[in-house]
Amino acid sequence: MSDFEYILRTEKLCKSFGHLEVLTDVDLGVKMGEVICIIGPSGAGKSTYLRSLNQLETITSGKIYIKDELFLHREHNRTIHRIEPDRQKAMLLEMGMVFQSFNLFPHKTVLENVMIAQVLVRKKSSDAARRLAGEIINMVGLSDKLDAYPSKLSGGQQQRVAIARALAMEPELMLFDEPTSALDPELVGEVLAVMKKLASQGITMLVVTHEMGFAREAADRVIFMDQGRIAQQGTPQDIFQNPEGERLQQFLQSIL
Amino acid sequence: MNFLKRIIDVRGWKRASKTAAIVIMAAVALLAALSWVNVSEEEMLQSASEEMQEIIRQEEASSRKYVTVTYNSFGFIKYLSFSTSGAKAVKETYIAFAGQVYPADTGFLKFIGQMVNYTYRMLGSGQNILHGVKLTILLTTLSMVIGSILSIFLALGKISKNKFISKISSAYVFFFRGTPLLIQLFVIYFSVPVIFGFSWRGLFAIGDTEAVYKGAFLAALIAFSLNAAAYCAEIVRAAIQSIDKGQGEAAKALGMTYGQTMRHIIIPQSIRRMIPPLCNEFVMMIKDVSLVFAISLMDITTISKTIMTSEGNYLVFFPALVIYLIITAIFTFLFGKIEKRLSVYE
């Protein structure tokens, strides 16, 4: 169906802030349609990993492939290879990102939030952008809030708008950076429901989360990160039913 | 602060204070309404005493004029008759109010008459836009508009990652904040033409009687704009940097360029935060503009100083203060409205 094996792959990805090494040799490949959950204690580098993928952080060394094509190769804080700038932007658009703190644009209405990047970046007509935005907002169940400002929405509704905003760019891969961590417990469910819906529609997702229930239910693969490394990975069953390794067992015990 | 709050909270006032306030406001409204009832110019000119009318009649026959009559639309009229030796012989002053003409040569009415006359002159009535209050408002508004547009670029320059651009912008701000505005004005009005070999007056058509004022106005506008840009740059920079970092990250993750992010996301949000300090800056600028007295532009301050020297009346500054207060109050009110309008999404 597709002419590439991995939509996204990293090889020996390392990132340090000064002397503090946050990520060490992270190798991971994401296949089309896969839902991967990354779990692990805080400070394990999960968010940093996600942020280095779409260039919000610059990696120290390692290789990032997008659709099996070398996107960025750095060694010792030097860029060895970077894809040409005009294709770089198009490739980064293959990734949509949802942030822990929503980061909706507060001066734009829900509809405008979902439309603006389509018009500015994808150069769509505002009619076409409005049509797609309407569909997606409907899909996340907020079609009655089109003209509301984000400040008038609950946290869960805001995060659903943020998901819609990322989806409107029609990315091949969605990155979720702890999408429910900033929410009140009773609002978590509505966001997870939307994410499960996406998972069932076959959208490729990379989710950093503390919601073990979601990971168990929706993930094809669960990755346990600890101290900047991938400590363990496997199917939800492997990880949750028969956890191996002391750190993973400790972590699961503390969180469940 | 609590004291001020109690005053502002009208609902908490005592009944007597409320009544008093209403009576005072009604009185002011009534007086204001009455002051609109004007006497025609002819009626006013007929108000002179028998003696003065006799002098005026005699003059119509002779070719030499010894009487000067000043009249203004605020209902202030003044007759001055000189003897042949040039000394003041007969002087009469009247005020028209609510359709009646009152003599105003002595006492309270004299004081009121003078103040009305001074106010009228400071407002620059009957003069073109480069006089009095009109000049102050025009110069302040234009300087602030040009200054704040420049300041956006300066602020972006200051936070730029490009070392050269950020150094240049910082140096600009340092220079204009570190030197007196009056000297900046002198440099632009006096020194710059010498260095570049032109004259401000010469920029306008020869024979234009207002060329001096226009030239000085242009020089003042440049000086105040450059200065305002430096002060506003700090305001703009602080406002931009106060926007949550996540906003820029979200825009970047959606593929927006730096320019798009600034134009559509960061600057629109920071504008609302700039309004209160910009209002402050605006109010400062209204008063700074009085420095144009040094390059002989006729703003409120220059006019009141002129009146003091020519008429020897040291009370002339009080109407000037009131005028400044009213201008400031109006602009503060307007900025408050703008801020409210920009806050719809919060």
Side-chain angles (χ1 to χ4, degrees):
Chain A
M1 82 190 205
S2 48
D3 49 353
F4 49 85
E5 194 183 357
Y6 294 107
I7 168 89
L8 179 91
R9 191 159 63 89
T10 60
E11 231 180 70
K12 299 231 173 288
L13 191 143
C14 300
K15 166 77 189 172
S16 42
F17 293 105
H19 291 295
L20 182 70
E21 200 158 356
V22 186
L23 295 172
T24 319
D25 293 344
V26 181
D27 294 336
L28 181 69
V30 185
K31 287 188 178 150
M32 274 304 267
E34 239 187 336
V35 176
I36 298 179
C37 285
I38 304 179
I39 60 172
S42 56
K46 309 180 300 287
S47 290
T48 312
Y49 178 67
L50 225 53
R51 290 164 60 83
S52 355
L53 293 179
N54 68 351
Q55 308 299 302
L56 289 177
E57 305 282 357
T58 314
I59 58 173
T60 314
S61 64
K63 292 177 187 170
I64 298 176
Y65 294 89
I66 295 179
K67 293 187 177 173
D68 289 348
E69 195 172 346
L70 184 58
F71 177 78
L72 179 66
H73 180 197
R74 279 166 69 84
E75 292 298 336
H76 305 298
N77 246 333
R78 280 232 169 76
T79 304
I80 311 282
H81 173 84
R82 186 189 281 276
I83 207 155
E84 54 268 40
D86 47 330
R87 295 197 53 217
Q88 179 183 332
K89 195 172 158 184
M91 290 184 108
L92 282 176
L93 286 180
E94 303 293 355
M95 288 183 269
M97 176 115 174
V98 175
F99 298 86
Q100 179 178 356
S101 49
F102 328 140
N103 295 343
L104 289 178
F105 305 134
H107 60 305
K108 304 266 179 208
T109 62
V110 167
L111 184 63
E112 287 166 343
N113 260 285
V114 182
M115 277 174 64
I116 182 167
Q118 296 187 61
V119 175
L120 291 177
V121 181
R122 290 272 193 220
K123 309 287 177 207
K124 282 192 194 169
S125 72
S126 66
D127 276 343
R130 183 172 292 121
R131 214 173 308 125
L132 179 62
E135 277 171 32
I136 295 177
I137 295 171
N138 191 28
M139 201 265 289
V140 300
L142 287 171
S143 38
D144 53 334
K145 301 282 184 194
L146 283 183
D147 296 317
Y149 284 98
S151 57
K152 296 278 178 288
L153 303 180
S154 73
Q157 290 171 329
Q158 288 192 43
Q159 192 61 296
R160 279 145 69 195
V161 176
I163 294 174
R165 181 177 67 176
L167 282 176
M169 298 303 283
E170 301 176 302
E172 303 256 23
L173 169 66
M174 288 283 285
L175 308 176
F176 290 85
D177 184 6
E178 305 198 21
T180 54
S181 299
L183 296 177
D184 292 338
E186 76 267 25
L187 300 175
V188 170
E190 58 186 79
V191 173
L192 291 182
V194 168
M195 289 169 63
K196 280 177 197 160
K197 201 164 163 186
L198 296 181
S200 69
Q201 287 175 2
I203 290 176
T204 318
M205 291 160 63
L206 194 51
V207 186
V208 170
T209 187
H210 290 296
E211 295 295 327
M212 296 306 147
F214 174 79
R216 196 176 308 189
E217 217 174 299
D220 299 314
R221 187 144 58 107
V222 177
I223 298 203
F224 174 62
M225 274 184 89
D226 187 33
Q227 296 178 341
R229 296 170 189 271
I230 294 182
Q232 227 153 336
Q233 57 176 309
T235 61
Q237 238 133 17
D238 296 339
I239 298 289
F240 296 113
Q241 254 77 31
N242 319 302
E244 289 169 17
E246 202 185 333
R247 282 292 297 154
L248 177 57
Q249 282 168 0
Q250 268 178 10
F251 172 72
L252 288 176
Q253 243 161 29
S254 68
I255 206 156
L256 291 174
Chain B
M1 279 323 281
N2 269 336
F3 174 70
L4 280 177
K5 261 185 207 148
R6 275 222 308 281
I7 292 182
I8 293 166
D9 182 21
V10 177
R11 280 168 302 180
W13 283 12
K14 280 183 194 152
R15 193 180 204 104
S17 332
K18 273 186 200 168
T19 321
I22 291 171
V23 168
I24 290 173
M25 285 198 288
V28 170
L30 182 69
L31 287 175
L34 285 177
S35 70
W36 282 103
V37 184
N38 271 330
V39 199
S40 72
E41 193 162 348
E42 291 81 52
E43 273 178 287
M44 281 208 77
L45 294 179
Q46 279 160 18
S47 62
S49 64
E50 287 293 316
E51 189 191 0
M52 184 59 84
Q53 292 202 7
E54 183 63 29
I55 298 173
I56 295 174
R57 261 199 297 281
Q58 280 170 5
E59 267 200 355
E60 276 169 7
S62 86
S63 58
R64 298 195 61 173
K65 301 289 184 198
Y66 297 108
V67 178
T68 58
V69 180
T70 49
Y71 165 87
N72 70 37
S73 50
F74 273 79
F76 182 83
I77 182 165
K78 195 170 184 179
Y79 300 93
L80 256 183
S81 162
F82 296 96
S83 69
T84 38
S85 65
K88 282 179 196 171
V90 187
K91 189 177 110 181
E92 285 175 20
T93 319
Y94 297 91
I95 298 181
F97 180 76
Q100 295 287 317
V101 179
Y102 305 94
D105 284 316
T106 50
F108 182 65
L109 274 181
K110 177 185 178 190
F111 173 75
I112 294 289
Q114 280 175 338
M115 291 307 142
V116 168
N117 187 29
Y118 299 158
T119 308
Y120 168 82
R121 285 161 70 178
M122 285 181 225
L123 291 180
S125 296
Q127 305 268 20
N128 68 14
I129 198 147
L130 296 180
H131 286 82
V133 172
K134 289 179 279 188
L135 172 76
T136 303
I137 292 179
L138 185 70
L139 196 50
T140 314
T141 316
L142 281 182
S143 311
M144 278 304 285
V145 169
I146 299 174
S148 34
I149 292 171
L150 286 178
S151 71
I152 293 181
F153 293 100
L154 272 176
L156 291 179
K158 267 198 98 164
I159 54 182
S160 164
K161 286 198 184 94
N162 183 323
K163 281 249 166 62
F164 180 71
I165 294 177
S166 104
K167 281 265 154 58
I168 292 264
S169 313
S170 302
Y172 178 96
V173 172
F174 176 71
F175 176 81
F176 277 93
R177 297 213 305 179
T179 51
L181 177 54
L182 185 58
I183 295 189
Q184 293 164 15
L185 183 63
F186 282 157
V187 166
I188 288 179
Y189 187 62
F190 296 115
S191 319
V192 168
V194 174
I195 296 168
F196 294 101
F198 71 99
S199 77
W200 288 109
R201 180 204 311 213
L203 296 179
F204 298 91
I206 302 163
D208 185 347
T209 47
E210 292 284 325
V212 181
Y213 288 133
K214 285 181 184 166
F217 178 78
L218 190 59
L221 180 60
I222 293 172
F224 288 126
S225 301
L226 294 180
N227 184 274
Y231 279 93
C232 295
E234 284 299 296
I235 294 172
V236 174
R237 184 191 57 78
I240 288 178
Q241 288 183 334
S242 77
I243 301 298
D244 179 27
K245 243 178 73 190
Q247 292 289 312
E249 289 181 350
K252 195 178 169 198
L254 288 167
M256 292 190 206
T257 62
Y258 175 79
Q260 287 171 336
T261 307
M262 278 297 161
R263 210 181 119 208
H264 296 281
I265 308 299
I266 308 290
I267 291 181
Q269 287 183 56
S270 50
I271 280 182
R272 202 202 67 77
R273 299 189 190 180
M274 292 175 203
I275 295 294
L278 275 184
C279 172
N280 225 350
E281 190 55 37
F282 196 100
V283 169
M284 299 285 280
M285 180 62 79
I286 290 173
K287 293 165 288 177
D288 284 346
V289 158
S290 63
L291 289 177
V292 296
F293 84 88
I295 59 171
S296 65
L297 272 174
M298 302 300 279
D299 84 316
I300 304 169
T301 308
T302 323
I303 293 174
S304 51
K305 178 90 187 330
T306 316
I307 293 173
M308 183 192 78
T309 10
S310 66
E311 309 220 350
N313 190 327
Y314 299 108
L315 298 179
V316 59
F317 298 112
F318 291 102
L321 292 179
V322 173
I323 291 175
Y324 274 117
L325 275 180
I326 292 175
I327 302 178
T328 312
I330 291 174
F331 278 105
T332 312
F333 175 76
L334 286 180
F335 271 99
K337 283 268 171 229
I338 297 174
E339 194 188 346
K340 210 165 222 172
R341 174 155 290 189
L342 290 176
S343 313
V344 280
Y345 59 82
E346 280 188 356

